[in-house]
Amino acid sequence: MQKKAHSNSHSLGKEHRSNVHAFKNIVKPYKTIRISPLKYSITGEDLAEWLAEVSTTQEIEEVLSMIRCAQKRGSEIKSILQTLAAAVLK
């Protein structure tokens, strides 16, 4: 039983890393993400690292889903990234 529980926790970590990696690839082109109301800016890579530290696997999956939906519609995702950055800062 314990071995199976360990295996599940290992796969959750792998899934989390995979989602973070996918997010990093999406935000890689964004060298600077400005958060105007807070007068702060962050790189896409730093945002991905920060999001990985403070978010659950499910939260990152939801973010990826929102971004992918926006990309399918041909929408700019920078506003989503700005909102994420502002939320992480608060």
Side-chain angles (χ1 to χ4, degrees), residues 7-79:
S7 176
N8 286 341
S9 64
H10 177 69
S11 66
L12 286 176
K14 185 176 180 181
E15 182 180 356
H16 186 75
R17 286 190 304 270
S18 174
N19 288 338
V20 169
H21 183 70
F23 185 74
K24 282 183 184 180
N25 286 335
I26 290 170
V27 300
K28 193 180 292 185
Y30 297 92
K31 299 297 178 196
T32 303
I33 301 165
R34 297 198 55 141
I35 305 140
S36 298
L38 301 176
K39 295 182 177 149
Y40 187 82
S41 63
I42 188 171
T43 66
E45 190 172 328
D46 287 342
L47 177 60
E49 290 293 330
W50 205 354
L51 190 66
E53 290 176 17
V54 300
S55 302
T56 65
T57 302
Q58 182 180 0
E59 291 169 334
I60 294 175
E61 285 176 3
E62 290 173 7
V63 167
L64 287 172
S65 176
M66 285 189 301
I67 289 172
R68 289 179 180 136
C69 286
Q71 288 175 326
K72 284 180 186 177
R73 292 185 189 113
S75 300
E76 181 63 40
I77 64 166
K78 195 161 193 167
S79 60

